[in-house]
Amino acid sequence: MFILGIETSCDETAVGIVDHNGRQIANIVASQIGIHSSHGGIVPEIASRQHILDIREVTLSALKFGNIKLRDLSHIAVTYGPGLAGSLIVGLNFAKGLACSLGIPLIGVNHLEGHIYAAWINNDYFSPMPFQQIVDEQNKIMCLIVSGGHTEMVIMKGYGQFQIIGETRDDAVGEAFDKVARVLGLKYPGGPEIQKASNFSSKEIEPFPRSWINGTHDFSFSGIKTSVINRSKIFGFYPPNNRVLPDKDIQANFSKAFQDSVVDVLVKKTVNAAISYECKGIILVGGVAANTALRENLIALSPIPVSIPPIDLCTDNGAMIAMAGLYNLQLKKFSEMSLDVIPNLRIS
Ligand code: KG4
Ligand code: ZN
């Protein structure tokens, strides 16, 4: 059994293949970062048009890499939401065409479930928690999904059973990284740039505020962004169009202070929630899970096991969609050919 997973919800045209054991056979990603970076963010129409140009080649590359023929495929899994409507439509229609012509089932996948199931790829015994093969009410897992569009704390109570217990009230954490990077004169996407710059921090500056929103598991990142902007004005490098670029020292020290603040809140709130819900493990996924400080701090602070996929499975990819497809098919969740995209799809 080989499941092909297609992901085009945002600015990556991605196709992956997993086998019936959840082993990754291929995972090819065509990133559009170079195309969008000069705009300082993603331009939806450019993104969907680029998906049209890339999707066939990316699919053929994945098949070639895995040494798989089209006729070897048993299922086509595809992201149908959440994401940019125009981008989702390209992947979904391509997937329908493939499933139809090969006469095999179509499996629609929630992008956020895809991020979560990335933690299952390539794991022995098919589980991200070495001791825990079962996920049920007694063996819950806390999932922190952190990406450019999402910041969600989700409890997994079983395969295909998710409950959002906290989410951002304004900016997604990746969005905050991207916006703050722009203020600091760093490139898009901002997350990796802020991480790189913070490694060169020479001194600790006054910390940026932490938004705890006590009594809830929700997050907020717009306050810290405003705080970075206000302090930037004092140094004279805001607004960005005035382009007095901050020097490398300021860039590094601001980046470190910003990253420290965000990581502190994400880690402490996630660990507290996991303990209060008596979870058996924590999974960290999504593009921002590529952040080294976040990975290291969560592992250091959590009293329960933490599972974090390798970086290429944290950022958007097709293998995670194929893996979610594998679980959906075990739950007999197949999709009709009339499946439509749902840009604001939630996880439940
Ligand atoms: O999951 P993803 O690839 O796409 C979405 O579904 O949004 O996440 C992209 C986000 C971007 O905001 C990017 O700045 C952030 O992940 N990111 C990082 C790092 N690498 C990527 N943020 C912090 N540190 C990183 N190392
Ligand atoms: Zn994503």
Side-chain angles (χ1 to χ4, degrees):
M1 195 159 75
F2 293 107
I3 299 135
L4 184 100
I6 297 175
E7 157 60 38
T8 63
S9 67
C10 195
D11 62 339
E12 259 105 24
T13 317
V15 177
I17 303 171
V18 300
D19 68 10
H20 61 286
N21 283 321
R23 296 263 153 210
Q24 179 182 309
I25 306 298
N27 200 19
I28 306 291
V29 180
S31 170
Q32 299 180 6
I33 283 175
I35 298 165
H36 297 283
S37 59
S38 60
H39 301 277
I42 296 158
V43 184
E45 185 178 333
I46 295 177
S48 41
R49 286 170 172 235
Q50 196 61 39
H51 287 309
I52 292 177
L53 298 178
D54 289 342
I55 190 137
R56 181 174 176 275
E57 278 310 310
V58 174
T59 305
L60 292 176
S61 302
L63 290 165
K64 190 167 175 208
F65 184 92
N67 200 15
I68 303 277
K69 301 266 173 298
L70 272 174
R71 63 169 180 275
D72 299 330
L73 296 176
S74 55
H75 301 81
I76 306 291
V78 60
T79 306
Y80 70 104
L84 301 168
S87 291
L88 290 164
I89 284 170
V90 178
L92 180 56
N93 266 340
F94 190 80
K96 284 183 183 180
L98 264 183
C100 238
S101 60
L102 296 170
I104 57 178
L106 179 76
I107 305 172
V109 169
N110 180 316
H111 180 78
L112 300 176
E113 288 188 22
H115 272 305
I116 290 174
Y117 282 113
W120 271 258
I121 297 174
N122 291 335
N123 284 306
D124 289 336
Y125 309 117
F126 222 37
S127 163
M129 302 288 170
F131 61 94
Q132 185 189 343
Q133 294 174 46
I134 299 164
V135 184
D136 59 20
E137 282 284 347
Q138 277 69 50
N139 299 282
K140 295 186 286 260
I141 295 179
M142 180 61 69
C143 310
L144 178 66
I145 309 171
V146 277
S147 73
H150 295 274
T151 307
E152 260 133 36
M153 235 193 290
V154 174
I155 297 186
M156 185 172 180
K157 298 175 170 177
Y159 293 101
Q161 285 175 37
F162 304 96
Q163 182 196 349
I164 299 179
I165 58 148
E167 59 194 314
T168 183
R169 294 188 177 181
D170 37 59
D171 291 347
V173 63
E175 193 182 352
F177 267 98
D178 296 339
K179 286 178 176 168
V180 164
R182 194 155 182 222
V183 173
L184 297 179
L186 298 168
K187 281 195 312 230
Y188 174 86
E193 295 299 312
I194 286 186
Q195 172 169 321
K196 242 186 276 165
S198 57
N199 290 336
F200 294 99
S201 173
S202 52
K203 75 163 194 244
E204 260 188 44
I205 59 169
E206 190 193 330
F208 285 114
R210 273 108 166 117
S211 176
W212 296 109
I213 325 188
N214 287 324
T216 79
H217 300 298
D218 283 348
F219 297 102
S220 165
F221 297 103
S222 70
I224 182 170
K225 178 191 65 192
T226 309
S227 177
V228 174
I229 290 174
N230 288 343
R231 226 186 281 174
S232 302
K233 284 180 184 160
I234 299 169
F235 283 84
F237 58 84
Y238 193 85
N241 327 0
N242 273 357
R243 271 307 61 149
V244 182
L245 275 174
D247 67 31
K248 291 256 177 273
D249 252 6
I250 294 180
Q251 270 180 343
N253 295 335
F254 269 55
S255 291
K256 171 85 167 45
F258 167 77
Q259 182 176 274
D260 283 352
S261 164
V262 167
V263 167
D264 192 25
V265 172
L266 286 172
V267 168
K268 288 189 182 142
K269 290 201 76 151
T270 304
V271 169
N272 285 342
I275 292 168
S276 71
Y277 280 91
E278 298 176 344
C279 293
K280 295 282 167 65
I282 298 176
I283 286 176
L284 172 66
V285 290
V288 182
N291 186 275
T292 310
L294 178 58
R295 297 164 85 93
E296 290 177 352
N297 278 280
L298 183 61
I299 291 168
L301 215 86
S302 174
I304 54 174
V306 176
S307 173
I308 313 173
I311 288 171
D312 60 332
L313 292 175
C314 283
T315 46
D316 287 352
N317 66 88
M320 72 183 196
I321 303 304
M323 191 69 194
L326 177 57
Y327 271 97
N328 278 1
L329 83 89
Q330 286 171 356
L331 297 166
K332 307 216 174 343
K333 285 191 187 168
F334 298 102
S335 302
E336 299 292 333
M337 276 297 155
S338 56
L339 180 67
D340 195 2
V341 300
I342 306 185
N344 56 359
L345 184 66
R346 305 259 300 164
I347 190 166
S348 60

